[in-house]
Amino acid sequence: MIGGLFIYNHKGEVLISRVYRDDIGRNAVDAFRVKIIHSRQPIRSPVTNMARTSFFHIKRNNVWLAAVSKQNVNAAMVFEFLNKMVLVMNSYFGKITEENIKNNFVLIYELLDELLDFGYPQNTDTGIMKTYITQASVKSQSKEETAQITSQVTGQIGWRREGIKYRRNELFLDVLENVNLLMSPQGQVLSAHVAGRIVMKSYLSGMPECKFGINDKVIMDSRGKTGIDETPKPAAGGKMSIAIDDCQFHQCVKLNKFETEHSISFIPPDGEYELMKYRTTKDISLPFRVIPLVREVGKSKMEVKVVVKSSFKSNLLAQKVEVRVPTPLNTSGVQVLCMKGKAKYKSSENAIVWKIKRMGGLKECQLSAEIELLNTSDRKKWTRPPISMNFEVPFAPSGFKVRYLKVFESKLNYSDHDVIKWVRYIGRSGLYETRC
Amino acid sequence: MPARLGVSLLLFKPFGHNSSLGKTKGFTADMTDSKYFTTTKKGELFELKAELNSEKRDLKKDAIKKVIASMTVGKDVSQLFPDVVNCGQTDDLELKKLVYLYLINYAKSQPGLLTLMAVNTFDKDTRHPNPLIRALAVRTMGCIRVDETTDYFAEPLKKCLKDEDPYVRKTAAVSVAKLHDINSDLVEEQGFLELLQDLLSDSNPMVVANAVAAISEIKASSSKAHDLLSFSQTMINKLLTALNECTEWGQVFILDCVAGYHPKDERDAQSIIERVTPRLAHANAAVVLSAVKVIMRLLDVLPESSDFVTNLVKKLSAPLVTLLSAEPEIQYIALRNIALIIQRRPDILKHELKVFFVKYNDPIYVKLEKLDIMIRLTNQSNISQTLAELKEYATEVDVDFVRRSVRAIGRCAIKVDVAAERCVSTLLDLIQTKVNYVVQEAIVVIKDIFRKYPNKYESVIGTLCECLDTLDEPEARASIIWIIGEYAERIDNAAELLETFLDSFHDENSQVQLQILTAIVKLFLTKPSDGQDLVQQVLSMSTQESENPDLRDRGYIYWRLLSTSPQAAKEVVLAEKPVISERTDSIESDLLSELISNIGTLASVYHKPLSSFVDGAAYRPTRPLTQQPSSELAEEDVTTPIPNANPAPTTPVGGDLLIGDLLSLSIPSAAPAAAPPNQQSSSTVDLLGGGLSDLLGGGITPAPTNTQPSSSMSSGLDDLLGGFGGPPAASSAPATPLVKEPTQQVWLASDKGKGLEVRGSFVRKHGQVCMELTLSNSSMQQLSGFAIQFNKNSFGLVPASALKVNPISAGSTCTASLPLHTTGTVQRMNPITNLQVAIKNNVDVFYFATQIPMQCLFADDGLMEKKAYLTTWKDIPASNEVQSSVSGINASPELLEEKLKNFNIFTVAKRNIDGHDMLYQSVKLSNGIWCLIEVTCQPSNSTVQVSLKSRVTEVYPPMQKALEEVLRS
């Protein structure tokens, strides 16, 4: 299991060091600094074995988090844990920075004591952690209080405490999708997928049981067959159902029920959390297409023409549209011309950045640029990195629809109808690239 | 005392920040912990001590925080031990935690004190009404790894294992594993294992999960416990039920444990799989991979053709693909595991090629792994997509990635027959780019393609030959030469091309030299008229002018073949070559099974067996599941991609493999004894011209005076030796063979030795020269069957015994000391101290050259008679005297004399002239060369003058170096 955990600043100075096992000595701390942080070569793997000791690392804002082990640990678990630890620290004191770490080192030691025992990850749910690691001096709790804490930390529903009360029962659902695309210069889709997340903010009293309905093909089909559910209403203008390749659920979702009955039911954590992640690859409606035209005119000049076409409904508006056209390293000057938005050549980023604040559906914009090149002796060819795009659109490119979210709380006297529910769809660009 | 204190605690709020439950920010900068890092005053410890003993709680707490801060940055604050422990007597949980944190760090340094003070506190705390404090105590006790405390630990731990509060029980469960780590007998004898097993049936899922983790760890480390703690079918079922309610980590513990279970029968396996499958939809990658591990292992028990298996295999694809949208580090782990999974079951992911396309912004480690998997998934139906991608990658920035992409194109060509032509044309396109490393890499892979599809693509040779000039890497040069030799018949100007290579023959890497030799012989056999002159030249160059035994031996074989029977030569040299196949990087079947049972763990990331990176991993609880010896098993053997037992004459395409014709494949094993005897004797005469007699005849008897080597030769030698003046390590570390070991140098790098790294040094022990060797194995297999041989050398060094090295397992290192005799055949080397060594193991034969430090070779009988000394000194002309000075020697002449004598440099006479101390000394090298030395030193000056006289001038530079080292030792 994890033998020790170290946090370093960008210079390699130790900010936190917590050793869980005897086989990890102080020299391990130095070995990581010398061999990884101060390494001259770029790092070729997030896992390194030195002298039969394995080092796992992740980096956040110039802060290195390293886990060390001398055993054959579950590597996936170690990285998942490091990421989780970052989340926990985020929720306690915000961003992971050297200053924040130093300012909260006592808290971090306390957290590390609780998150890992003998190198085994324990409960890492922030909601629960905050019930008993508060940084306020621990009030002398009553016996009932401590019993409640311990049963929550270890309990079956480790993500929600009992006795939550709201005057107004409310929940927010955000369907957040990242569209990823890799397109050939000829406009052929090389690969495309949507990575979606359902983020839920729940402010519900008691221990409510929720049922979540979506337009996934498998779920809908099984409903159709068994006839348990009402027939799905065709979503206005959208597809009836979509094929979800794979989905993953928050801890709270009863996976067995999903496997056998294809229903998503759960008791939600309080506040904000990620209910579900999913991935689709079929029938994605790509919000934009980029058509590049790059012409090298002799050795000292290049002409670039980029056309961006939006292909969603004309009554919708895309926001924060940004197109990034990479330029060669030996660019000496650029003249850009665009009809819509603003385009600028940023020499520090070796790219023309073209920003369009808003863009309606079924529109077309064009940018043309003349790039002047310095004559260089460098024979290395320019590798033509892909043109990338950023945007935000108010729909789900995968066609994902929330059909219902029902709340049942038998003990308290509020019903599904009393809960105020909000749903929002946002489609963002992931890696949205067109080769040129 | 607790209740009242508790009330007073309410009044206290630490450093004033508002920390209600939900608030995340509000830690203002001026009032935070960072101030504890900045105290650097003198007398700090003293001050802290006072504060720790203060009555005020906030002062106390601040002081402890300062102590912890110092501890973190590595300052020693162990002196404060008693004061800090005193603070532990409190109900303040935060303060207690800090005290315990300190204890964990310093318990070892103060065991005596600890038993007295801390144990008492711990004991009290394990009976505290607050379960959080009970748990904290039991957790901390386990972290204090001092033998004296373990006895005090057992009773409270037992009590806590039965505590009413689940939080205490789950903490106690892990503590059993801690205690086992400190004192396994105690745990095994006092019934802790039974208590732990009871916890497996606990009503609380987290207690169960931690108990599983503890049991798994104890099982893995002790064979006795292993037998005690086997999981029954009912127990596994219980665990699978608990799975649904555990935290994500608990699920990982349970799944990892279930993966080690051997199912009773097919039904048992099937039902486990059914219960584990829902986990594939978990958000935590570790849960998903551990579930995959359970399924992959159990699949082996089920009949291959059943619908159940086919369906299951389909179900595994999607979750694996999803892992690729996680953080890059997790993607990396997933990719390394996918590489294993698809080697065992190629059907999984066979339609998912596209998801492994490399993204421009992927970290390099993700890119390289994706590339590898792409090739594994490539087949006839998707080859065009793969090729298009690879071509794209070949224009990227990262050199390593580009090279691997080009190589991947070659792998495609060899794997998918129908695509070979397209691959070749893609490679030709890449050659047109003229990017140097792309061209070189392309040529190397085209060579492999020619091997696989002979007589099909010769039309491209013209293009290849155009880039001859740009090739500067040995592998690329060797490849193009192989191609020219192979197709000499059809290349009009083959002779011309090869001749250009011959011009630079001696500057080439040995790999290239070997290829030139073979190619020219091939040319001669196919076009005798063109190759006549060249073949004579190359044979004499490789047999007479080369120091590389491999090259020389190959030259002799060709020479003899050609002179006895050209027909036979033809049959051997132009014989049909074995077929090559695409099984690059396939992992050997047993190892693959081991790795599959370790999916998700480090072993699966390194693709190495546990023993290669974990200490004491010999005990392996997870054996691969095998079915009863049935027909299916036999079938599987045939269908596995790694035909381990299949002796078909296929050779893998590997970068490091000699470009094979029959000769180069068979030569390594035969090398040491290859040269036929009559050739040998004639060559000895050839090679040891002029200087031999004086090397051998040295001696002191009135010697022939005409032995002075020609000036041109000695100047050439000087050049060579000048360059040799400062070879690595030995010169920087003064070698005193009798006292300390000289630093070992790398003689054979592991990339040249196919995973074997040889480091070594020479020492003189008890009058005998010894070669100290350190052999490290960085390959993935065990290395065994070591043997060593030396080439003839200037001092007649031969191993006095066989090299005694036990088989070296993967990843480990072994040392050996090899005594040497000086009774072997003498042949002058250039430089004179050069020693060529061949090391053989079960993989191959490796050659390397090294330098013997002269001081190891001084014989015990090196004291010359005074008279003889005088005559010899006079006999050797003054022009043969060399002088040098060694500065920075602060030793009396007596001390110097003693020092030199330790190295068998004997004083013949001593004189004092004009305040200069003169030492006249003699040295005899093991091959009989005498060397006379005159050492002059001055009491006032730290610089020592050394004059050397010998009949063999070649010994001067190494001799000077040796003397300098001896004097400085």
Side-chain angles (χ1 to χ4, degrees):
Chain A
M1 278 306 115
I2 297 173
L5 233 154
F6 309 124
I7 303 182
Y8 302 83
N9 65 9
H10 67 284
K11 284 184 257 169
E13 291 162 359
V14 191
L15 303 177
I16 297 285
S17 105
R18 176 74 166 89
V19 173
Y20 293 97
R21 294 197 173 223
D22 227 17
D23 51 7
I24 303 299
R26 184 100 199 160
N27 53 358
V29 187
D30 301 327
F32 184 79
R33 172 183 30 248
V34 175
K35 291 281 171 61
I36 308 285
I37 300 182
H38 293 167
S39 162
R40 292 221 185 98
Q41 280 91 35
I43 293 145
R44 292 262 150 179
S45 159
V47 190
T48 323
N49 192 300
M50 296 180 271
R52 294 170 95 77
T53 309
S54 296
F55 295 81
F56 303 76
H57 72 265
I58 60 172
K59 218 180 152 186
R60 297 282 183 273
N61 313 319
N62 277 331
V63 172
W64 299 75
L65 293 98
V68 189
S69 176
K70 283 206 128 183
Q71 288 169 302
N72 181 34
V73 294
N74 190 321
M77 188 179 81
V78 175
F79 280 122
E80 283 284 1
F81 175 78
L82 287 175
N83 288 322
K84 244 330 170 329
M85 195 174 101
V86 168
L87 286 183
V88 171
M89 292 200 283
N90 284 153
S91 87
Y92 268 95
F93 52 78
K95 261 188 155 183
I96 308 284
T97 59
E98 180 177 352
E99 197 183 350
N100 276 346
I101 302 264
K102 276 190 172 173
N103 284 343
N104 295 286
F105 85 97
V106 175
L107 168 71
I108 293 173
Y109 276 122
E110 206 176 327
L111 286 173
L112 283 178
D113 210 29
E114 210 56 55
L115 292 173
L116 281 176
D117 189 2
F118 202 37
Y120 290 104
Q122 303 293 305
N123 201 324
T124 49
D125 189 280
T126 24
I128 297 297
M129 297 292 288
K130 282 186 175 171
T131 61
Y132 69 113
I133 296 186
T134 61
Q135 270 295 279
S137 173
V138 178
K139 301 171 273 250
S140 94
Q141 289 132 324
S142 70
K143 212 169 175 188
E144 291 73 43
E145 278 172 337
T146 51
Q148 205 196 339
I149 289 175
T150 56
S151 84
Q152 264 161 29
V153 175
T154 59
Q156 299 188 3
I157 304 171
W159 56 87
R160 188 181 181 91
R161 61 192 172 91
E162 302 245 10
I164 298 172
K165 276 216 176 71
Y166 287 100
R167 271 176 57 201
R168 204 157 92 129
N169 289 300
E170 208 172 5
L171 65 84
F172 301 84
L173 273 177
D174 281 348
V175 178
L176 305 173
E177 293 198 340
N178 279 322
V179 208
N180 297 280
L181 170 75
L182 184 62
M183 196 177 254
S184 77
Q186 292 75 33
Q188 189 193 359
V189 176
L190 294 172
S191 72
H193 77 270
V194 168
R197 309 188 295 139
I198 313 288
V199 175
M200 183 169 172
K201 269 180 242 167
S202 73
Y203 303 104
L204 301 169
S205 314
M207 294 294 256
E209 169 118 25
C210 297
K211 271 209 161 109
F212 186 41
I214 56 174
N215 63 337
D216 175 33
K217 216 176 195 164
V218 184
I219 297 177
M220 306 261 285
D221 286 356
S222 76
R223 286 299 135 95
K225 258 180 258 156
T226 50
I228 300 168
D229 212 297
E230 72 270 34
T231 43
K233 297 171 210 119
K239 284 159 281 181
M240 281 278 285
S241 61
I242 60 163
I244 289 183
D245 289 27
D246 190 36
C247 47
Q248 298 177 319
F249 298 101
H250 184 267
Q251 181 75 3
C252 64
V253 175
K254 291 167 185 155
L255 290 177
N256 281 33
K257 253 193 173 160
F258 179 71
E259 178 80 10
T260 52
E261 298 166 27
H262 296 288
S263 76
I264 305 169
S265 66
F266 55 95
I267 296 169
D270 195 40
E272 184 174 336
Y273 73 103
E274 189 179 282
L275 172 66
M276 172 183 175
K277 280 197 281 195
Y278 59 91
R279 185 169 51 82
T280 74
T281 45
K282 290 200 188 70
D283 302 323
I284 297 166
S285 55
L286 298 167
F288 290 97
R289 236 197 98 179
V290 176
I291 304 157
L293 204 82
V294 180
R295 212 158 61 92
E296 288 177 41
V297 191
K299 277 194 169 169
S300 59
K301 210 170 129 190
M302 246 173 64
E303 284 177 10
V304 180
K305 212 171 97 180
V306 179
V307 180
V308 175
K309 282 185 179 171
S310 60
S311 47
F312 44 88
K313 276 187 282 176
S314 54
N315 58 346
L316 297 174
L317 263 186
Q319 292 187 344
K320 302 176 190 167
V321 181
E322 185 185 293
V323 183
R324 217 162 244 277
V325 186
T327 55
L329 293 172
N330 56 339
T331 301
S332 62
V334 177
Q335 270 103 49
V336 219
L337 202 77
C338 58
M339 306 303 285
K340 203 169 169 8
K342 278 180 191 162
K344 244 190 203 164
Y345 165 64
K346 295 200 173 165
S347 56
S348 59
E349 295 165 45
N350 285 314
I352 301 168
V353 181
W354 177 22
K355 286 183 178 167
I356 306 167
K357 270 194 190 137
R358 278 186 206 87
M359 185 168 170
L362 300 175
K363 291 260 166 43
E364 196 176 308
C365 299
Q366 187 180 326
L367 167 139
S368 42
E370 267 186 31
I371 301 171
E372 273 160 43
L373 304 173
L374 286 173
N375 265 326
T376 52
S377 52
D378 197 3
R379 281 211 299 147
K380 216 173 188 183
K381 226 181 99 228
W382 181 49
T383 57
R384 287 202 185 191
I387 295 179
S388 58
M389 228 191 132
N390 290 314
F391 54 80
E392 197 178 294
V393 289
F395 63 92
S398 68
F400 186 99
K401 283 273 176 326
V402 176
R403 289 175 47 232
Y404 56 82
L405 198 144
K406 291 177 190 157
V407 181
F408 307 96
E409 166 55 276
S410 47
K411 285 181 195 150
L412 301 173
N413 60 343
Y414 70 94
S415 74
D416 184 40
H417 297 291
D418 304 329
V419 180
I420 307 160
K421 302 165 189 170
W422 306 85
V423 183
R424 177 164 69 153
Y425 296 89
I426 300 174
R428 292 200 182 101
S429 52
L431 266 184
Y432 206 83
E433 297 181 334
T434 308
R435 289 179 180 159
C436 60
Chain B
M1 71 176 190
R4 285 198 73 85
L5 273 177
V7 175
S8 70
L9 271 175
L10 266 175
L11 302 170
F12 168 70
K13 262 191 164 189
F15 36 92
H17 53 69
N18 172 6
S19 42
S20 66
L21 285 187
K23 286 262 167 73
T24 57
K25 279 167 196 165
F27 288 68
T28 44
D30 52 331
M31 289 297 278
T32 49
D33 297 352
S34 58
K35 65 179 182 217
Y36 303 116
F37 281 96
T38 53
T39 45
T40 47
K41 283 173 285 179
K42 279 184 184 168
E44 189 190 341
L45 283 182
F46 186 76
E47 232 166 77
L48 280 174
K49 209 178 177 88
E51 283 172 27
L52 285 170
N53 290 318
S54 143
E55 282 303 306
K56 288 185 188 154
R57 276 173 181 271
D58 46 354
L59 212 59
K60 227 179 210 183
K61 212 182 266 186
D62 267 15
I64 292 199
K65 284 182 182 173
K66 280 181 206 158
V67 172
I68 304 275
S70 310
M71 204 170 79
T72 303
V73 296
K75 272 187 230 162
D76 183 20
V77 282
S78 58
Q79 287 173 49
L80 300 167
F81 196 84
D83 311 277
V84 176
V85 172
N86 261 334
C87 297
Q89 311 257 9
T90 171
D91 261 15
D92 185 331
L93 198 57
E94 193 194 3
L95 186 57
K96 211 179 250 306
K97 280 181 180 170
L98 292 173
V99 171
Y100 282 178
L101 184 64
Y102 175 91
L103 277 183
I104 294 169
N105 262 276
Y106 284 112
K108 272 226 157 129
S109 61
Q110 314 269 338
L113 259 176
L114 183 86
T115 37
L116 285 173
M117 307 175 70
V119 165
N120 191 23
T121 324
F122 280 133
D123 193 46
K124 223 189 269 170
D125 282 352
T126 55
R127 285 181 275 117
H128 197 279
N130 185 343
L132 292 175
I133 291 185
R134 289 204 297 277
L136 179 65
V138 81
R139 182 165 65 212
T140 313
M141 282 171 84
C143 298
I144 294 171
R145 307 174 47 91
V146 181
D147 287 337
E148 290 97 319
T149 54
T150 46
D151 294 334
Y152 299 92
F153 187 15
E155 277 316 306
L157 179 58
K158 266 189 200 163
K159 209 167 52 208
C160 288
L161 282 167
K162 294 183 194 150
D163 198 285
E164 52 168 19
D165 194 290
Y167 184 76
V168 181
R169 289 201 302 277
K170 74 110 184 164
T171 312
V174 176
S175 288
V176 177
K178 296 179 191 168
L179 185 61
H180 186 269
D181 196 32
I182 309 168
N183 188 343
S184 55
D185 293 340
L186 182 79
V187 170
E188 281 157 28
E189 281 156 19
Q190 295 209 10
F192 278 103
L193 298 183
E194 289 75 15
L195 285 170
L196 207 49
Q197 263 179 325
D198 291 345
L199 289 187
L200 290 178
S201 317
D202 200 283
S203 60
N204 186 295
M206 197 158 179
V207 176
V208 176
N210 277 1
V212 167
I215 287 179
S216 303
E217 175 158 349
I218 293 171
K219 265 176 80 168
S221 64
S222 142
S223 53
K224 190 175 156 207
H226 184 257
D227 304 332
L228 236 76
L229 296 169
S230 64
F231 285 97
S232 65
Q233 192 181 359
T234 40
M235 193 45 86
I236 290 289
N237 277 328
K238 260 188 202 167
L239 292 183
L240 289 171
T241 315
L243 196 58
N244 299 320
E245 289 147 8
C246 280
T247 65
E248 46 202 316
W249 316 114
Q251 298 189 14
V252 176
F253 306 154
I254 291 179
L255 288 170
D256 282 353
C257 162
V258 171
Y261 170 72
H262 294 253
K264 272 211 181 68
D265 47 33
E266 281 178 26
R267 271 188 48 213
D268 192 14
Q270 198 164 330
S271 91
I272 295 176
I273 291 180
E274 274 164 1
R275 298 178 72 176
V276 166
T277 314
R279 297 299 125 195
L280 295 175
H282 201 284
N284 186 313
V287 175
V288 176
L289 274 176
S290 290
V292 170
K293 166 164 56 190
V294 173
I295 294 170
M296 281 296 287
R297 266 174 64 81
L298 294 177
L299 268 177
D300 288 349
V301 193
L302 299 174
E304 267 316 292
S305 50
S306 67
D307 287 350
F308 182 78
V309 172
T310 342
N311 277 331
L312 200 59
V313 165
K314 272 188 205 148
K315 270 190 192 167
L316 283 176
S317 292
L320 289 174
V321 172
T322 300
L323 293 178
L324 298 185
S325 36
E327 290 81 1
E329 293 87 8
I330 291 180
Q331 283 187 47
Y332 175 73
I333 305 289
L335 286 164
R336 292 293 284 176
N337 278 288
I338 287 171
L340 297 173
I341 292 166
I342 58 176
Q343 267 185 74
R344 178 48 52 90
R345 297 191 174 268
D347 277 354
I348 300 176
L349 295 169
K350 68 178 170 192
H351 301 302
E352 301 288 354
L353 176 73
K354 278 186 176 182
V355 302
F356 296 99
F357 284 1
V358 168
K359 294 184 188 131
Y360 192 77
N361 291 324
D362 279 336
I364 182 69
Y365 51 81
V366 169
K367 281 185 177 174
L368 293 175
E369 295 309 318
K370 280 187 173 173
L371 187 63
D372 179 59
I373 290 172
M374 272 174 68
I375 304 308
R376 289 178 199 275
L377 293 177
T378 296
N379 54 37
Q380 208 165 327
S381 62
N382 57 21
I383 180 78
S384 38
Q385 289 175 323
T386 310
L387 269 183
E389 281 295 305
L390 291 176
K391 203 175 167 186
E392 196 73 35
Y393 305 160
T395 63
E396 281 221 28
V397 191
D398 189 288
V399 176
D400 193 22
F401 179 60
V402 170
R403 281 173 181 275
R404 291 236 219 150
S405 303
V406 176
R407 219 157 255 231
I409 298 175
R411 277 170 73 184
C412 285
I414 287 159
K415 194 174 174 188
V416 186
D417 292 7
V418 290
E421 195 159 340
R422 265 181 294 167
C423 294
V424 171
S425 74
T426 309
L427 287 168
L428 284 180
D429 287 350
L430 290 174
I431 289 177
Q432 300 302 339
T433 62
K434 305 277 182 217
V435 179
N436 190 283
Y437 53 86
V438 174
V439 174
Q440 313 221 29
E441 207 65 37
I443 288 195
V444 172
V445 295
I446 286 183
K447 175 257 303 169
D448 287 336
I449 297 176
F450 277 26
R451 271 292 301 274
K452 168 90 194 243
Y453 310 102
N455 304 324
K456 241 177 135 180
Y457 301 111
E458 306 81 76
S459 52
V460 309
I461 292 175
T463 323
L464 302 185
C465 292
E466 281 166 23
C467 30
L468 269 183
D469 302 336
T470 55
L471 306 182
D472 52 11
E473 289 164 22
E475 203 182 350
R477 288 177 80 83
S479 299
I480 189 83
I481 294 166
W482 182 85
I483 293 172
I484 296 173
E486 192 64 16
Y487 293 94
E489 220 170 350
R490 271 165 271 180
I491 305 173
D492 294 335
N493 58 345
E496 205 179 299
L497 293 172
L498 289 173
E499 198 174 353
T500 54
F501 281 108
L502 201 56
D503 293 341
S504 55
F505 189 75
H506 288 301
D507 304 328
E508 297 283 4
N509 175 292
S510 60
Q511 186 187 5
V512 184
Q513 289 178 332
L514 286 170
Q515 277 317 317
I516 297 175
L517 172 60
T518 305
I520 290 180
V521 171
K522 280 180 186 165
L523 171 76
F524 174 68
L525 288 171
T526 46
K527 291 201 278 188
S529 53
D530 283 14
Q532 187 110 40
D533 293 344
L534 288 179
V535 92
Q536 298 240 320
Q537 274 184 50
V538 80
L539 285 177
S540 72
M541 275 169 138
S542 44
T543 52
Q544 294 173 23
E545 293 164 32
S546 166
E547 285 161 13
N548 180 345
D550 201 4
L551 181 65
R552 240 179 7 232
D553 289 344
R554 197 189 283 197
Y556 284 133
I557 291 175
Y558 283 140
W559 201 330
R560 221 161 130 62
L561 265 174
L562 291 172
S563 57
T564 38
S565 159
Q567 194 50 41
K570 229 173 195 165
E571 275 166 32
V572 172
V573 179
L574 301 179
E576 210 168 299
K577 280 154 279 298
V579 180
I580 54 172
S581 70
E582 206 285 330
R583 10 172 273 222
T584 336
D585 304 331
S586 328
I587 296 171
E588 179 260 333
S589 179
D590 283 351
L591 178 61
L592 186 61
S593 296
E594 189 190 334
L595 296 181
I596 294 267
S597 350
N598 281 301
I599 285 177
T601 68
L602 274 176
S604 73
V605 178
Y606 296 146
H607 291 185
K608 280 181 187 168
L610 292 193
S611 52
S612 69
F613 63 93
V614 177
D615 294 324
Y619 192 79
R620 240 181 263 142
T622 46
R623 296 192 302 278
L625 298 178
T626 40
Q627 257 177 321
Q628 283 81 20
S630 66
S631 57
E632 276 151 58
L633 191 72
E635 245 175 55
E636 203 191 294
D637 254 1
V638 179
T639 48
T640 33
I642 316 105
N644 200 24
N646 184 356
T650 56
T651 44
V653 194
D656 55 344
L657 203 77
L658 288 171
I659 304 158
D661 54 7
L662 271 178
L663 261 175
S664 68
L665 284 176
S666 61
I667 206 161
S669 53
N678 58 341
Q679 289 268 353
Q680 177 135 5
S681 58
S682 72
S683 76
T684 325
V685 174
D686 273 356
L687 292 171
L688 306 178
L692 178 69
S693 50
D694 52 348
L695 256 176
L696 288 172
I700 245 29
T701 45
T705 46
N706 61 346
T707 50
Q708 197 173 339
S710 70
S711 60
S712 70
M713 177 161 182
S714 65
S715 74
L717 250 172
D718 283 346
D719 279 357
L720 267 173
L721 294 169
F724 144 80
S731 58
S732 56
T736 46
L738 293 167
V739 195
K740 55 181 167 183
E741 298 270 1
T743 33
Q744 294 196 332
Q745 307 174 24
V746 177
W747 286 348
L748 179 70
S750 60
D751 54 340
K752 300 254 171 56
K754 299 190 182 168
L756 173 73
E757 191 200 55
V758 180
R759 307 166 141 275
S761 62
F762 292 94
V763 294
R764 196 178 176 87
K765 276 187 201 163
H766 317 296
Q768 192 173 30
V769 186
C770 279
M771 188 187 223
E772 299 291 343
L773 289 169
T774 305
L775 307 166
S776 335
N777 177 4
S778 58
S779 71
M780 294 207 290
Q781 67 187 104
Q782 175 176 286
L783 298 178
S784 59
F786 283 96
I788 194 164
Q789 268 196 341
F790 295 166
N791 197 11
K792 284 172 288 184
N793 52 67
S794 322
F795 301 99
L797 284 174
V798 283
S801 65
L803 181 62
K804 287 182 208 91
V805 178
N806 294 327
I808 307 175
S809 60
S812 54
T813 297
C814 165
T815 58
S817 175
L818 182 72
L820 309 179
H821 282 321
T822 50
T823 52
T825 326
V826 171
Q827 173 183 314
R828 184 162 69 182
M829 300 302 292
N830 190 6
I832 200 161
T833 51
N834 203 22
L835 176 66
Q836 291 171 347
V837 184
I839 281 205
K840 182 179 148 255
N841 62 16
N842 56 336
V843 176
D844 208 335
V845 183
F846 307 101
Y847 304 96
F848 54 85
T850 174
Q851 308 286 339
I852 319 157
M854 201 70 136
Q855 60 267 41
C856 296
L857 299 165
F858 299 161
D860 296 336
D861 55 346
L863 182 60
M864 194 185 274
E865 243 184 76
K866 267 189 189 169
K867 238 181 204 164
Y869 189 90
L870 224 67
T871 35
T872 321
W873 186 269
K874 279 183 194 152
D875 231 343
I876 301 172
S879 60
N880 264 8
E881 183 175 345
V882 289
Q883 294 196 330
S884 59
S885 54
V886 182
S887 59
I889 308 292
N890 292 312
S892 66
E894 288 74 21
L895 205 71
L896 277 183
E897 206 183 335
E898 188 59 40
K899 210 185 260 178
L900 293 165
K901 200 178 160 205
N902 276 339
F903 286 89
N904 290 338
I905 305 172
F906 299 94
T907 311
V908 181
K910 220 162 101 179
R911 264 199 291 174
N912 190 308
I913 307 169
D914 306 332
H916 292 72
D917 280 304
M918 317 275 282
L919 296 175
Y920 296 96
Q921 293 173 305
S922 68
V923 153
K924 187 184 168 194
L925 294 177
S926 56
N927 59 354
I929 299 176
W930 284 91
C931 197
L932 312 183
I933 307 166
E934 181 191 60
V935 177
T936 317
C937 48
Q938 231 177 323
S940 57
N941 197 335
S942 65
T943 305
V944 175
Q945 296 290 333
V946 180
S947 303
L948 273 179
K949 262 192 177 184
S950 172
R951 291 187 195 277
V952 189
T953 47
E954 281 89 330
V955 302
Y956 287 161
M959 198 68 201
Q960 282 175 336
K961 188 166 154 285
L963 277 174
E964 185 176 340
E965 276 172 23
V966 170
L967 287 170
R968 287 190 193 285
S969 65

